[in-house]
Amino acid sequence: VFFVAALLSNKKDPFRYVSSALFSVVHVLILVLSRDLGGAGIYCMVYMFMLYIANRNLLTIAAGAVLGAGAFYVALQMFSHVKIRVQNWLNPWMDMSNTGYQITQSLFAIGTGGWEGMGLLQGDPTTIPYVNEDFVFSAIAEEFGVMFSILLIMLYLVTVLHMFRMSTRVKEYFHKLLLSGFAIALGTQVILTIGGGTRFIPLTGVTLP
């Protein structure tokens, strides 16, 4: 975020869009080769929206959406774990004792907590594999309840909106891009994590910030 903001805010450089795009592509490729597709998705979203804020051209968002859909299709063909995650997103109960175990245990934990939760240290979040990495939200929902979880989501939303509000007030272009970039990064990470753990979207392996 710092590096892209510095590149895009340098209006004296006529090649700032090209250099920032090359930088982002290299980092995304490194993450893809490392099989960290969730991280790659966050990088792509951050760069696409920071570029839009820099040039104010809606074609940037349209092009990003098309490229994102194409990248998802390619990932679906190339990586077996992506296929498994999409299958488990569509029907986790089909193989709930094996490949669907993570997401089903996550849903069970959220359901067990109910509206008010089981209480601090009264749940059993360790039944969810990688709970401390991919399913922090599910553990929170089990022990503190759905109502608390909704308030947590609202807190994230207010934080992101406040960061965007700050970005409209600062005068220096670099700081404007910086605040916007961090807001997009935080919002994207929250959506991927909570969405994956609650089965709104396929799992991405992203941790809740």
Side-chain angles (χ1 to χ4, degrees):
V1 172
F2 274 99
F3 194 84
V4 172
L7 284 175
L8 294 177
S9 61
N10 183 15
K11 294 184 179 180
K12 295 180 181 179
D13 181 10
F15 301 106
R16 62 185 184 276
Y17 296 137
V18 176
S19 55
S20 62
L22 290 174
F23 168 81
S24 300
V25 166
V26 169
H27 277 72
V28 167
L29 285 176
I30 291 171
L31 289 170
V32 169
L33 292 173
S34 304
R35 297 167 66 89
D36 183 7
L37 301 183
I42 294 172
Y43 263 81
C44 288
M45 289 292 288
V46 168
Y47 177 70
M48 180 180 69
F49 279 99
M50 287 182 73
L51 184 62
Y52 167 70
I53 292 166
N55 63 25
R56 297 293 179 178
N57 190 338
L58 284 174
L59 287 176
T60 304
I61 302 296
V66 172
L67 289 172
F72 178 75
Y73 178 78
V74 171
L76 199 59
Q77 303 302 315
M78 288 181 59
F79 299 104
S80 57
H81 71 284
V82 175
K83 289 182 180 179
I84 292 171
R85 285 180 175 179
V86 171
Q87 289 171 0
N88 291 332
W89 169 58
L90 295 172
N91 186 8
W93 318 106
M94 183 173 60
D95 191 15
M96 59 181 293
S97 62
N98 188 15
T99 58
Y101 186 74
Q102 269 187 316
I103 185 63
T104 52
Q105 289 300 111
S106 171
L107 296 174
F108 284 144
I110 296 170
T112 302
W115 286 104
E116 298 179 358
M118 301 182 69
L120 183 62
L121 302 179
Q122 298 303 308
D124 191 14
T126 55
T127 58
I128 312 171
Y130 303 104
V131 65
N132 59 326
E133 296 174 11
D134 301 355
F135 297 96
V136 176
F137 182 79
S138 304
I140 292 172
E142 182 182 35
E143 297 197 348
F144 293 97
V146 173
M147 288 299 296
F148 183 90
S149 302
I150 292 171
L151 292 174
L152 181 62
I153 293 171
M154 291 175 66
L155 179 62
Y156 279 121
L157 179 61
V158 169
T159 303
V160 170
L161 291 176
H162 183 62
M163 291 170 75
F164 275 123
R165 185 185 180 192
M166 289 171 62
S167 72
T168 62
R169 293 184 173 186
V170 296
K171 294 181 180 180
E172 191 171 339
Y173 197 56
F174 171 72
H175 292 154
K176 188 184 295 290
L177 287 171
L178 203 62
L179 281 164
S180 302
F182 282 127
I184 296 158
L186 176 63
T188 304
Q189 195 166 341
V190 169
I191 290 170
L192 290 179
T193 309
I194 296 179
T198 54
R199 205 184 146 225
F200 278 100
I201 59 173
L203 286 173
T204 55
V206 175
T207 305
L208 187 70

